Amino acid sequence: MKIHQLKIDFNVTERVRRFVYVYIIEAENCYLIDSGVFGCQKQIVDYLAKIGRKPEDVKGLFLTHAHPDHIGSAAWWQEHTDCKIYASEGEKLWIEDIDLQFKERPIPNFYQLAGKSSRVDVTVKDGDIIDLEPDLKIKAIRTAGHSSDCFSYLAGNALFIGDSVPVKGDIPIFIDEAETRNALNIIGEIPDVAVYYPAWDKTYDYKTMRIKLNEAEELIDALKNAVTEYDNGGDITELVDQVCDNLNKPMLKENPLFARTVECLREGQL
């Protein structure tokens, strides 16, 4: 088994540039972990050609969650190959109905990033083991918090963790504090993992992953403390402004996704 990491660059707006990592597991056949944004299938296909593979070699696409930068090219793979799409029950609704996702979680340029709805062929549950080939099995592990039912996938000693771990220095986006903290514990306790593959950064060895998990806990604690200190029960916009000022991160004030993070930390006080 070989694992290939592809960096997919994209723009949320003209001024906001982001990226996400897509992974190719190469064995007898090939399998994708997430599919990047709409249109990036050409970049993936070009990379496959460089390693002597064709699109038809891709037999499975494992979606960690339903956000646009992870599902964008999923419909293309479904339409042009016999690739099966795997995802959790809680993320399935947004994958199969991106109009609903936009209604419930609008972001700039949503349709340019998310592309089209796609069908989830296999719904995974926590602990499921999917037999793909004689020497390749993938275990599905629920690591929710960033989204309602996001999953990590374990293949051999490689763990693909999507966006499950908030990152120091980046926009902290999660919708459930308790679930996010639980996901950090789950990831830290999975035995015999040699390499961790996040959607936001380079790969990590065990020691580095421990540092990232600790930083994530510290980040949540800092956000929680700021929310607790400034929350007077008033408007969420005012609270977001005060939290951003406290953390010296004014750029987050206009981000509705960060506002949802603050809101879930406020809910956690109740």
Side-chain angles (χ1 to χ4, degrees):
M1 180 181 76
K2 294 182 180 178
I3 298 171
H4 306 265
Q5 183 186 52
L6 281 71
K7 185 179 182 183
I8 309 295
D9 293 303
F10 63 94
N11 282 77
V12 179
T13 67
E14 288 187 5
R15 294 191 302 174
V16 179
R17 188 161 180 80
R18 302 288 292 174
F19 66 87
V20 69
Y21 284 108
V22 167
Y23 294 96
I24 300 171
I25 299 175
E26 184 186 11
E28 180 179 335
N29 297 299
C30 294
Y31 306 88
L32 298 177
I33 306 292
D34 288 328
S35 67
V37 297
F38 181 64
C40 79
Q41 64 272 3
K42 183 180 185 305
Q43 184 177 344
I44 300 173
V45 169
D46 288 347
Y47 186 88
L48 286 169
K50 289 180 181 179
I51 61 174
R53 296 288 194 156
K54 300 177 181 179
E56 307 86 71
D57 293 334
V58 176
K59 302 301 182 182
L61 166 56
F62 290 80
L63 297 175
T64 59
H65 59 293
H67 292 166
D69 53 330
H70 295 259
I71 68 168
S73 76
W76 187 92
W77 291 100
Q78 194 162 63
E79 292 168 357
H80 292 81
T81 72
D82 61 356
C83 163
K84 290 184 179 179
I85 294 180
Y86 299 76
S88 69
E89 184 67 36
E91 301 291 317
K92 179 179 177 179
L93 199 59
W94 276 8
I95 294 167
E96 296 190 335
D97 185 354
I98 66 169
D99 294 328
L100 176 64
Q101 180 175 176
F102 180 67
K103 179 181 178 181
E104 296 179 345
R105 189 181 185 264
I107 64 168
N109 290 323
F110 173 84
Y111 287 99
Q112 287 82 356
L113 301 174
K116 300 194 297 183
S117 302
S118 55
R119 180 189 69 255
V120 174
D121 299 295
V122 181
T123 303
V124 301
K125 301 184 296 297
D126 187 38
D128 280 356
I129 296 177
I130 301 101
D131 286 303
L132 298 172
E133 300 176 8
D135 296 322
L136 178 59
K137 296 177 174 62
I138 287 187
K139 183 176 182 179
I141 302 168
R142 187 174 186 270
T143 51
H146 173 72
S147 64
S148 64
D149 199 26
C150 48
F151 267 62
S152 296
Y153 296 105
L154 180 66
N157 62 3
L159 183 65
F160 302 90
I161 59 177
D163 289 333
S164 297
V165 180
V167 186
K168 183 179 179 181
D170 201 353
I171 304 170
I173 297 173
F174 50 90
I175 63 171
D176 189 299
E177 177 193 356
E179 290 249 72
T180 300
R181 291 185 187 273
N182 186 51
L184 300 180
N185 291 331
I186 290 170
I187 290 170
E189 292 173 0
I190 298 172
D192 303 321
V193 178
V195 188
Y196 300 80
Y197 294 85
W200 68 87
D201 202 355
K202 63 184 180 181
T203 60
Y204 300 136
D205 59 17
Y206 177 81
K207 182 178 179 180
T208 305
M209 190 73 251
R210 299 305 307 182
I211 294 171
K212 295 297 180 180
L213 291 171
N214 289 334
E215 288 179 349
E217 287 280 7
E218 292 170 358
L219 174 60
I220 297 171
D221 288 343
L223 288 170
K224 181 75 169 184
N225 290 338
V227 169
T228 302
E229 179 178 356
Y230 292 107
D231 189 10
N232 59 9
D235 182 73
I236 186 66
T237 303
E238 179 182 350
L239 177 58
V240 170
D241 287 348
Q242 291 176 317
V243 170
C244 290
D245 290 341
N246 174 267
L247 299 174
N248 195 28
K249 292 186 178 296
M251 73 290 297
L252 297 179
K253 292 183 180 182
E254 303 301 322
N255 191 311
L257 301 181
F258 180 67
R260 182 65 188 93
T261 301
V262 172
E263 188 176 15
C264 89
L265 291 168
R266 165 190 263 184
E267 292 168 353
Q269 299 180 58
L270 301 178

